[in-house]
Amino acid sequence: MVYLLGVEDLAVTRCGYSPLHETVCSLRLRGRPGGFPEQRGWAASWARDYAGLDTELLDALVTPRGFAPDVLTPRPRGCRPCIQDELPLLAAVPPDRLPAGFRTAYARDGSPLPPVLDLLLDDPYALRGRLVSALGEYWTRCLEPAWWPRARTVLEADLAYRGRRLAECGPVGLFADLDPGVSWADGALRIRGGGRGAPAPARREPVAGRGLVLMPTLFADRALCEAASGGAPVVVYPARGRGTMAEGTEGVEGPDTGAAAASAALADLIGVPRARVLGLLDTPTTTTALAQRLGVTPGAVSRHLGALAAAGLLERTRSGRAVLYRRSPLGESLAAGPGRFGPAP
Protein backbone atom coordinates (compact mmCIF):
# COMPACT_ATOMS: atom_id res chain seq x y z
CA MET A 1 0.00 0.00 0.00
CA VAL A 2 1.19 3.50 -0.85
CA TYR A 3 -0.63 6.42 0.76
CA LEU A 4 -0.26 9.78 -0.99
CA LEU A 5 -0.30 12.54 1.62
CA GLY A 6 -0.65 16.23 0.92
CA VAL A 7 0.18 19.08 3.26
CA GLU A 8 -3.35 19.07 4.67
CA ASP A 9 -3.05 15.35 5.47
CA LEU A 10 0.23 15.79 7.30
CA ALA A 11 -1.32 18.66 9.27
CA VAL A 12 -3.99 16.35 10.72
CA THR A 13 -1.94 13.16 11.04
CA ARG A 14 -2.20 11.95 14.63
CA CYS A 15 -1.11 9.12 16.91
CA GLY A 16 -3.23 7.18 19.36
CA TYR A 17 -3.84 3.77 20.89
CA SER A 18 -7.03 1.80 21.50
CA PRO A 19 -7.66 -0.33 24.62
CA LEU A 20 -10.32 -2.29 22.72
CA HIS A 21 -7.86 -2.98 19.91
CA GLU A 22 -5.31 -4.25 22.43
CA THR A 23 -7.97 -6.35 24.18
CA VAL A 24 -9.01 -8.12 21.00
CA CYS A 25 -5.49 -8.51 19.64
CA SER A 26 -4.24 -9.93 22.95
CA LEU A 27 -6.35 -12.98 22.09
CA ARG A 28 -3.68 -13.76 19.47
CA LEU A 29 -1.70 -15.19 22.38
CA ARG A 30 -4.13 -18.12 22.45
CA GLY A 31 -3.43 -19.21 18.89
CA ARG A 32 0.31 -18.47 18.71
CA PRO A 33 2.17 -20.48 21.37
CA GLY A 34 5.54 -19.08 20.25
CA GLY A 35 4.39 -15.56 19.50
CA PHE A 36 4.86 -12.45 21.62
CA PRO A 37 7.20 -14.04 24.20
CA GLU A 38 7.28 -10.85 26.27
CA GLN A 39 3.56 -11.37 26.99
CA ARG A 40 3.70 -15.04 28.02
CA GLY A 41 4.23 -14.39 31.71
CA TRP A 42 1.19 -12.12 31.75
CA ALA A 43 -0.99 -14.65 29.92
CA ALA A 44 0.01 -17.31 32.46
CA SER A 45 -0.88 -14.97 35.33
CA TRP A 46 -4.45 -14.53 34.16
CA ALA A 47 -5.01 -18.10 32.86
CA ARG A 48 -7.23 -19.10 35.79
CA ASP A 49 -9.43 -16.02 35.44
CA TYR A 50 -9.65 -16.51 31.69
CA ALA A 51 -10.88 -20.07 32.13
CA GLY A 52 -13.97 -18.72 33.90
CA LEU A 53 -14.99 -16.46 31.01
CA ASP A 54 -16.90 -17.03 27.77
CA THR A 55 -13.87 -18.75 26.29
CA GLU A 56 -15.85 -20.42 23.50
CA LEU A 57 -16.62 -17.04 21.99
CA LEU A 58 -13.39 -15.25 22.98
CA ASP A 59 -11.24 -17.95 21.37
CA ALA A 60 -13.21 -17.50 18.13
CA LEU A 61 -12.80 -13.71 17.84
CA VAL A 62 -9.34 -14.00 16.29
CA THR A 63 -8.63 -16.46 13.48
CA PRO A 64 -5.74 -18.97 13.69
CA ARG A 65 -3.55 -16.59 11.66
CA GLY A 66 -4.48 -13.60 13.82
CA PHE A 67 -7.16 -11.84 11.78
CA ALA A 68 -10.10 -10.14 13.47
CA PRO A 69 -13.12 -8.28 12.06
CA ASP A 70 -12.29 -4.60 11.62
CA VAL A 71 -15.33 -3.64 13.67
CA LEU A 72 -13.66 -5.17 16.75
CA THR A 73 -10.42 -3.23 16.31
CA PRO A 74 -11.48 0.41 15.80
CA ARG A 75 -9.35 3.42 15.06
CA PRO A 76 -8.93 5.38 18.30
CA ARG A 77 -11.08 8.43 18.89
CA GLY A 78 -8.47 10.82 20.19
CA CYS A 79 -5.02 9.89 21.44
CA ARG A 80 -5.94 7.79 24.45
CA PRO A 81 -9.58 6.66 24.68
CA CYS A 82 -10.65 4.45 27.58
CA ILE A 83 -12.35 1.08 27.30
CA GLN A 84 -15.49 2.56 28.89
CA ASP A 85 -15.81 4.78 25.80
CA GLU A 86 -15.07 2.07 23.26
CA LEU A 87 -17.31 -0.78 24.45
CA PRO A 88 -20.49 1.33 24.10
CA LEU A 89 -19.45 2.11 20.52
CA LEU A 90 -19.16 -1.62 19.86
CA ALA A 91 -22.59 -2.11 21.45
CA ALA A 92 -23.98 0.45 18.97
CA VAL A 93 -22.52 -1.18 15.84
CA PRO A 94 -25.29 -2.12 13.37
CA PRO A 95 -25.72 -5.88 13.90
CA ASP A 96 -25.73 -6.61 10.17
CA ARG A 97 -22.04 -5.60 10.00
CA LEU A 98 -20.93 -8.42 12.28
CA PRO A 99 -21.69 -11.51 10.12
CA ALA A 100 -19.91 -10.04 7.10
CA GLY A 101 -16.93 -9.02 9.23
CA PHE A 102 -16.42 -12.47 10.72
CA ARG A 103 -16.96 -14.27 7.42
CA THR A 104 -14.42 -12.00 5.73
CA ALA A 105 -11.82 -12.56 8.47
CA TYR A 106 -12.16 -16.35 8.36
CA ALA A 107 -12.24 -16.45 4.56
CA ARG A 108 -9.00 -14.43 4.51
CA ASP A 109 -7.53 -16.86 6.99
CA GLY A 110 -8.68 -19.90 5.01
CA SER A 111 -10.19 -21.50 8.11
CA PRO A 112 -13.77 -22.66 8.74
CA LEU A 113 -15.98 -20.70 11.09
CA PRO A 114 -15.93 -22.10 14.65
CA PRO A 115 -19.24 -23.70 15.67
CA VAL A 116 -20.08 -20.89 18.09
CA LEU A 117 -19.86 -18.29 15.31
CA ASP A 118 -21.62 -20.51 12.82
CA LEU A 119 -24.56 -20.52 15.22
CA LEU A 120 -24.47 -16.88 16.36
CA LEU A 121 -24.06 -15.28 12.93
CA ASP A 122 -27.72 -16.15 12.26
CA ASP A 123 -28.67 -13.95 15.23
CA PRO A 124 -26.43 -10.87 15.00
CA TYR A 125 -28.25 -9.08 17.84
CA ALA A 126 -27.44 -11.92 20.21
CA LEU A 127 -23.87 -12.01 18.87
CA ARG A 128 -23.39 -8.30 19.50
CA GLY A 129 -24.62 -8.52 23.08
CA ARG A 130 -22.49 -11.54 23.85
CA LEU A 131 -19.44 -9.89 22.27
CA VAL A 132 -19.69 -6.78 24.42
CA SER A 133 -20.25 -8.84 27.57
CA ALA A 134 -17.38 -11.28 26.88
CA LEU A 135 -14.84 -8.59 26.00
CA GLY A 136 -15.87 -6.43 28.96
CA GLU A 137 -15.41 -9.33 31.39
CA TYR A 138 -12.09 -10.29 29.82
CA TRP A 139 -10.86 -6.73 30.21
CA THR A 140 -12.05 -6.38 33.80
CA ARG A 141 -10.82 -9.72 35.11
CA CYS A 142 -7.63 -10.30 33.12
CA LEU A 143 -6.20 -7.12 31.62
CA GLU A 144 -7.20 -4.11 33.66
CA PRO A 145 -5.80 -4.97 37.13
CA ALA A 146 -2.08 -5.28 36.35
CA TRP A 147 -1.43 -5.77 32.64
CA TRP A 148 -3.03 -2.58 31.33
CA PRO A 149 -1.14 -0.14 33.60
CA ARG A 150 2.14 -1.57 32.27
CA ALA A 151 0.91 -1.77 28.69
CA ARG A 152 -0.41 1.78 28.78
CA THR A 153 2.99 3.00 29.98
CA VAL A 154 4.66 1.42 26.93
CA LEU A 155 2.06 2.87 24.57
CA GLU A 156 2.30 6.33 26.16
CA ALA A 157 6.07 6.22 25.83
CA ASP A 158 5.69 5.44 22.15
CA LEU A 159 3.36 8.41 21.66
CA ALA A 160 5.82 10.68 23.46
CA TYR A 161 8.65 9.43 21.27
CA ARG A 162 6.64 10.02 18.08
CA GLY A 163 5.86 13.54 19.23
CA ARG A 164 9.54 14.27 19.78
CA ARG A 165 10.48 12.83 16.40
CA LEU A 166 7.91 15.01 14.66
CA ALA A 167 9.03 18.11 16.57
CA GLU A 168 12.73 17.50 15.93
CA CYS A 169 12.73 16.10 12.39
CA GLY A 170 9.30 16.69 10.85
CA PRO A 171 7.39 13.97 8.93
CA VAL A 172 10.63 12.40 7.74
CA GLY A 173 11.60 11.70 11.35
CA LEU A 174 8.09 10.67 12.32
CA PHE A 175 7.99 7.87 9.74
CA ALA A 176 11.70 7.00 9.54
CA ASP A 177 11.82 4.35 12.27
CA LEU A 178 8.14 3.47 12.53
CA ASP A 179 8.87 -0.02 11.18
CA PRO A 180 11.31 -1.56 8.68
CA GLY A 181 8.38 -2.10 6.31
CA VAL A 182 7.43 1.59 6.29
CA SER A 183 9.16 4.20 4.14
CA TRP A 184 8.47 7.85 3.32
CA ALA A 185 9.59 9.77 0.26
CA ASP A 186 8.20 12.53 -1.97
CA GLY A 187 4.83 12.72 -0.24
CA ALA A 188 4.22 8.97 -0.37
CA LEU A 189 4.05 6.62 2.62
CA ARG A 190 4.72 3.03 1.61
CA ILE A 191 3.68 0.13 3.85
CA ARG A 192 4.89 -3.24 2.66
CA GLY A 193 2.68 -6.21 3.44
CA GLY A 194 -0.90 -5.19 2.64
CA GLY A 195 -3.79 -4.58 5.00
CA ARG A 196 -4.34 -6.35 8.32
CA GLY A 197 -1.58 -8.80 7.52
CA ALA A 198 -3.15 -10.13 4.33
CA PRO A 199 -1.03 -10.31 1.14
CA ALA A 200 -2.22 -7.66 -1.29
CA PRO A 201 -0.77 -5.91 -4.35
CA ALA A 202 0.63 -2.47 -3.65
CA ARG A 203 -1.71 0.30 -4.75
CA ARG A 204 -1.51 4.06 -4.56
CA GLU A 205 -4.30 5.73 -2.62
CA PRO A 206 -4.64 9.49 -2.15
CA VAL A 207 -5.53 10.27 1.45
CA ALA A 208 -7.33 13.33 0.10
CA GLY A 209 -7.73 15.37 3.27
CA ARG A 210 -8.74 12.51 5.57
CA GLY A 211 -5.47 12.58 7.49
CA LEU A 212 -3.69 9.53 8.87
CA VAL A 213 -3.80 7.69 12.19
CA LEU A 214 -0.66 6.02 13.54
CA MET A 215 -1.56 3.39 16.14
CA PRO A 216 1.08 1.56 18.22
CA THR A 217 0.19 -1.93 19.44
CA LEU A 218 1.75 -4.63 21.58
CA PHE A 219 0.40 -7.41 19.37
CA ALA A 220 1.88 -7.00 15.90
CA ASP A 221 5.15 -8.19 14.40
CA ARG A 222 5.17 -5.59 11.62
CA ALA A 223 3.30 -2.55 10.37
CA LEU A 224 -0.16 -3.16 8.92
CA CYS A 225 -2.54 -0.79 7.20
CA GLU A 226 -6.29 -0.41 7.19
CA ALA A 227 -8.15 1.91 4.85
CA ALA A 228 -11.78 1.88 5.94
CA SER A 229 -14.06 3.79 3.59
CA GLY A 230 -15.02 7.24 4.71
CA GLY A 231 -12.40 7.61 7.42
CA ALA A 232 -8.73 8.27 7.97
CA PRO A 233 -6.47 5.35 7.04
CA VAL A 234 -4.83 3.65 10.01
CA VAL A 235 -1.26 2.37 10.18
CA VAL A 236 -0.86 -0.12 13.04
CA TYR A 237 2.76 -0.69 14.04
CA PRO A 238 4.73 -2.50 16.80
CA ALA A 239 5.13 -0.22 19.81
CA ARG A 240 8.64 0.73 20.87
CA GLY A 241 9.77 -0.85 24.12
CA ARG A 242 7.22 -3.68 23.98
CA GLY A 243 9.95 -6.09 25.07
CA THR A 244 9.92 -4.43 28.49
CA MET A 245 6.54 -6.04 29.12
CA ALA A 246 8.49 -9.13 30.21
CA GLU A 247 10.01 -7.30 33.17
CA GLY A 248 8.67 -8.43 36.51
CA THR A 249 7.03 -11.63 35.20
CA GLU A 250 8.25 -14.86 36.74
CA GLY A 251 10.71 -17.01 34.83
CA VAL A 252 11.05 -14.81 31.78
CA GLU A 253 14.81 -14.63 31.76
CA GLY A 254 17.57 -16.44 33.52
CA PRO A 255 20.10 -14.70 35.77
CA ASP A 256 22.82 -12.58 34.24
CA THR A 257 25.82 -12.45 36.56
CA GLY A 258 27.42 -9.55 34.70
CA ALA A 259 24.26 -7.49 34.93
CA ALA A 260 23.88 -8.45 38.60
CA ALA A 261 27.38 -7.21 39.38
CA ALA A 262 26.73 -3.91 37.58
CA SER A 263 23.43 -3.50 39.43
CA ALA A 264 25.17 -4.12 42.78
CA ALA A 265 27.81 -1.49 41.97
CA LEU A 266 25.15 1.03 41.02
CA ALA A 267 23.23 0.31 44.24
CA ASP A 268 26.39 0.95 46.26
CA LEU A 269 26.77 4.29 44.51
CA ILE A 270 23.25 5.77 44.68
CA GLY A 271 21.37 3.39 46.99
CA VAL A 272 19.20 0.37 46.26
CA PRO A 273 15.82 2.17 45.86
CA ARG A 274 17.15 4.75 43.40
CA ALA A 275 19.12 2.13 41.49
CA ARG A 276 15.93 0.12 41.06
CA VAL A 277 14.05 3.18 39.81
CA LEU A 278 16.83 4.08 37.36
CA GLY A 279 17.00 0.48 36.14
CA LEU A 280 13.28 0.43 35.28
CA LEU A 281 13.43 3.47 33.02
CA ASP A 282 14.41 1.74 29.78
CA THR A 283 11.35 3.45 28.29
CA PRO A 284 9.62 6.67 29.46
CA THR A 285 7.42 5.86 32.46
CA THR A 286 5.06 7.69 34.81
CA THR A 287 5.40 7.93 38.59
CA THR A 288 2.23 5.87 39.09
CA ALA A 289 3.39 3.09 36.77
CA LEU A 290 6.75 2.89 38.54
CA ALA A 291 5.01 2.72 41.93
CA GLN A 292 2.85 -0.17 40.73
CA ARG A 293 5.86 -2.08 39.43
CA LEU A 294 7.85 -1.50 42.63
CA GLY A 295 4.93 -2.07 45.01
CA VAL A 296 5.43 1.24 46.83
CA THR A 297 3.54 4.53 47.06
CA PRO A 298 3.73 7.15 44.28
CA GLY A 299 5.03 9.62 46.88
CA ALA A 300 8.05 7.43 47.62
CA VAL A 301 8.82 7.05 43.91
CA SER A 302 8.37 10.79 43.37
CA ARG A 303 11.07 11.58 45.94
CA HIS A 304 13.54 9.23 44.23
CA LEU A 305 12.68 10.64 40.80
CA GLY A 306 13.25 14.17 42.05
CA ALA A 307 16.67 13.27 43.43
CA LEU A 308 17.70 11.45 40.26
CA ALA A 309 16.50 14.32 38.07
CA ALA A 310 18.37 16.86 40.24
CA ALA A 311 21.54 14.81 39.73
CA GLY A 312 21.06 14.97 35.94
CA LEU A 313 20.28 11.27 35.59
CA LEU A 314 16.70 11.70 34.32
CA GLU A 315 14.78 13.78 31.81
CA ARG A 316 11.09 14.70 32.00
CA THR A 317 8.58 14.72 29.11
CA ARG A 318 4.96 15.81 29.43
CA SER A 319 2.36 13.71 27.56
CA GLY A 320 -1.10 15.15 28.08
CA ARG A 321 -1.69 15.27 31.83
CA ALA A 322 1.03 12.72 32.54
CA VAL A 323 4.76 13.33 33.12
CA LEU A 324 7.04 10.65 31.72
CA TYR A 325 10.54 10.08 33.10
CA ARG A 326 13.41 8.56 31.16
CA ARG A 327 17.14 8.23 31.69
CA SER A 328 19.34 11.06 30.48
CA PRO A 329 22.54 10.22 28.56
CA LEU A 330 24.40 10.34 31.89
CA GLY A 331 21.78 8.07 33.45
CA GLU A 332 22.12 5.64 30.53
CA SER A 333 25.87 5.49 31.04
CA LEU A 334 25.49 4.92 34.75
CA ALA A 335 22.83 2.22 34.32
CA ALA A 336 24.96 0.43 31.73
CA GLY A 337 27.69 -0.28 34.27
CA PRO A 338 31.31 0.71 34.79
CA GLY A 339 32.41 -0.52 31.38
CA ARG A 340 30.83 2.49 29.73
CA PHE A 341 33.22 4.83 31.54
CA GLY A 342 36.38 3.05 30.48
CA PRO A 343 38.86 1.12 32.63
CA ALA A 344 38.95 1.79 36.35
CA PRO A 345 41.84 4.00 37.50
Side-chain angles (χ1 to χ4, degrees), residues 30-96:
R30 305 279 297 174
R32 295 181 58 182
F36 312 112
E38 69 279 2
Q39 303 288 351
R40 288 294 154 189
W42 292 102
S45 73
W46 68 58
R48 182 176 299 177
D49 287 325
Y50 186 85
L53 303 178
D54 188 355
T55 57
E56 184 183 28
L57 179 60
L58 289 171
D59 287 347
L61 299 187
V62 175
T63 72
R65 290 174 56 198
F67 301 122
D70 290 345
V71 70
L72 300 184
T73 54
R75 65 172 55 83
R77 293 191 172 189
C79 288
R80 44 182 71 82
C82 61
I83 196 77
Q84 290 78 13
D85 295 329
E86 293 191 307
L87 283 175
L89 295 177
L90 178 59
V93 166
D96 58 3

Side-chain angles (χ1 to χ4, degrees), residues 202-265:
R203 66 181 187 275
R204 298 174 70 84
E205 178 179 330
V207 175
R210 291 175 292 163
L212 191 72
V213 178
L214 304 178
M215 185 161 68
T217 180
L218 299 174
F219 297 101
D221 298 320
R222 58 187 176 83
L224 310 170
C225 56
E226 172 197 345
S229 59
V234 179
V235 177
V236 180
Y237 63 93
R240 287 173 57 85
R242 62 194 181 280
T244 63
M245 289 295 296
E247 294 175 359
T249 56
E250 294 295 328
V252 174
E253 296 177 329
D256 182 334
T257 56
S263 297

